[in-house]
Amino acid sequence: ALEKRIQDLEARQQQYPEVTFLTYKDRKRILVTGGAGFVGSHLVDRLMLAGHEVIVADNFFTGRKRNIEHWIGHENFELINHDIVNPLYIEVDQIYHLASPASPPHYMYNPVKTIKVNSIGTINMLGLARRVRARLLFASTSEVYGDPEVHPQKETYFGNVNPFGPRSCYDESKRVAEAMCYAYAQQEGISIRIARIFNTYGPRMHMNDGRVVSNFVLQALQNEPITIYGTGKQTRSFQYVSDLVDGLIALMNSNYSMPMNLGNPDEYTIEQFATKIKELVGSQASIVYKDPVIDDPKQRRPDIGLAKSWLNWEPKVLLSDGLNKTIAYFRNELLVKHHSNRN
Ligand code: UDP
């Protein structure tokens, strides 16, 4: 039986060379909050393929069962329909705490819920980490830098955040969550990791996500006007989701416990981005300019020196390759939607 297991492991390793497979003593029990979401489900795939036991807690506010349905019934996988604003009592070794709405339209739709999940939800997860002595990785955000006056953004920059505005429910609750991680680490000796995640895109983004990538791709595919908010001179830097997952896992298993940026420094104006997507789709869509968004950061680009030196990590996927995969995903989503509307 042992020989068979080793053979299985070797076969899997050959099939997925990018994944490091574990011997059974290295297997961990890992909780992923928000594991049915866009980033969470890709992380779950990677952890499951590596042979870990994975528990997903999700309230399906923006997450979707279909993102992880391929694991349902697997002996190493467990899905809990749970809102982490309520405490959770389980036994785990590691916690990836990703649960939170993340796109501006989603987090502004219910700002109170956004604040609760990042404040009370994070307290609950830190409490769980303390009780079972688990390590917790918190999914923070480039939004902690607000509308940055320092460019590119290094982890040592304190940010320029409006505490009282439409984005503050997200920005300030992510900031207080970082402060909570710090306090629990100091006072309770909890092992924490803080990933400041920059704009991320890829398959399984929500159709109604409302962020620039999904909006532009869907508009281009349907030959609808591509909507640029404001002048289009504002910049963003986009990382493909598989690069982020590599970074999250490397950070969790590193011995670096201060905040760390994870993003792709490849920076574009939103106008350039609209043109690029239009070209890749081969779309006839027009480009239209809409009202600017309140408190929209004018520029954003990560300094990833820390991640490079501590994790030996940097993004690998080129924008055009990542976008082509994302376009293929949304093309299929539109087909599915079209068929389900007709039937
Ligand atoms: N944006 C846009 N058109 C859209 C959606 C977004 O021009 O249909 C702009 C938005 O104003 C911002 C940038 O694209 O400057 C990125 O916005 P997104 O909502 O994707 O994420 P953010 O980085 O602001 O959280």
Side-chain angles (χ1 to χ4, degrees):
L2 185 62
E3 225 164 70
K4 170 86 173 68
R5 276 204 215 163
I6 291 168
Q7 275 174 6
D8 283 354
L9 203 65
E10 280 171 356
R12 275 197 295 168
Q13 184 72 76
Q14 276 182 359
Q15 199 179 351
Y16 302 101
E18 72 280 13
V19 179
T20 312
F21 285 94
L22 305 168
T23 55
Y24 284 80
K25 74 174 174 21
D26 295 324
R27 175 189 283 182
K28 291 195 164 59
R29 276 174 69 80
I30 303 176
L31 169 64
V32 182
T33 75
F38 159 53
V39 173
S41 65
H42 286 283
L43 174 64
V44 167
D45 286 351
R46 193 74 66 82
L47 298 173
M48 284 295 296
L49 285 171
H52 292 292
E53 273 182 63
V54 177
I55 301 158
V56 165
D58 207 298
N59 68 350
F60 301 106
F61 182 59
T62 57
R64 289 172 301 172
K65 217 175 241 177
R66 49 191 282 239
N67 288 342
I68 38 147
E69 68 187 352
H70 45 285
W71 295 118
I72 291 173
H74 191 292
E75 59 180 358
N76 292 346
F77 182 77
E78 200 176 324
L79 172 63
I80 315 175
N81 187 337
H82 179 83
D83 189 331
I84 54 153
V85 162
N86 303 308
L88 182 62
Y89 297 98
I90 54 174
E91 304 295 324
V92 288
D93 306 306
Q94 292 186 336
I95 303 169
Y96 287 90
H97 176 29
L98 272 51
S100 170
S103 81
H106 281 165
Y107 67 65
M108 290 179 201
Y109 169 76
N110 193 336
V112 172
K113 210 176 172 83
T114 302
I115 291 174
K116 280 186 180 167
V117 71
N118 282 312
S119 57
I120 304 169
T122 301
I123 287 274
N124 284 335
M125 290 306 106
L126 285 163
L128 172 62
R130 176 177 56 189
R131 188 171 60 79
V132 301
R133 308 310 298 176
R135 179 177 290 175
L136 179 142
L137 181 147
F138 175 62
S140 188
T141 168
S142 56
E143 286 278 325
V144 298
Y145 303 122
D147 187 2
E149 286 156 335
V150 169
H151 195 74
Q153 292 79 54
K154 262 195 194 338
E155 291 84 347
T156 45
Y157 178 47
F158 291 166
N160 175 35
V161 175
N162 178 1
F164 186 85
R167 292 177 101 93
S168 59
C169 62
Y170 186 72
D171 299 10
E172 293 289 26
S173 66
K174 287 288 188 186
R175 286 170 66 101
V176 80
E178 284 198 11
M180 288 167 173
C181 290
Y182 185 82
Y184 270 76
Q186 294 302 307
Q187 195 177 321
E188 311 285 350
I190 301 302
S191 178
I192 53 138
R193 302 288 179 265
I194 313 266
R196 290 187 178 154
I197 302 173
F198 283 64
N199 296 65
T200 305
Y201 70 98
R204 300 189 194 152
M205 287 185 96
H206 211 288
M207 289 257 263
N208 311 322
D209 185 90
R211 271 182 292 200
V212 70
V213 176
S214 46
N215 277 9
F216 285 7
V217 169
L218 285 167
Q219 289 160 345
L221 282 170
Q222 298 173 102
N223 287 315
E224 286 168 4
I226 296 180
T227 54
I228 292 182
Y229 302 157
T231 61
K233 304 289 183 225
Q234 70 271 38
T235 68
R236 291 293 187 275
S237 312
F238 297 93
Q239 85 182 315
Y240 189 65
V241 64
S242 62
D243 284 330
L244 172 61
V245 168
D246 289 341
L248 291 173
I249 293 174
L251 177 59
M252 173 66 105
N253 298 297
S254 75
N255 46 28
Y256 190 80
S257 58
M258 304 265 284
M260 185 183 282
N261 290 341
L262 293 178
N264 192 326
D266 198 14
E267 182 182 4
Y268 295 85
T269 68
I270 294 305
E271 259 174 350
Q272 287 173 325
F273 202 60
T275 313
K276 175 123 196 149
I277 289 184
K278 207 180 128 168
E279 275 170 19
L280 288 174
V281 170
S283 169
Q284 302 303 313
S286 61
I287 294 181
V288 295
Y289 290 81
K290 302 265 195 180
D291 288 342
V293 170
I294 299 172
D295 290 341
D296 200 4
K298 285 182 278 305
Q299 50 181 358
R300 182 182 290 155
R301 171 189 182 163
D303 179 313
I304 57 167
L306 260 184
K308 271 187 186 161
S309 61
W310 280 85
L311 311 180
N312 196 18
W313 173 89
E314 62 184 318
K316 296 194 199 97
V317 180
L318 293 176
L319 183 67
S320 47
D321 294 341
L323 279 178
N324 279 330
K325 289 184 188 169
T326 310
I327 290 165
Y329 170 79
F330 278 116
R331 195 172 262 137
N332 189 56
E333 287 294 280
L334 285 172
L335 277 176
V336 171
K337 191 175 155 216
H338 181 68
H339 282 288
S340 59
N341 282 351
R342 276 199 317 196
N343 296 340

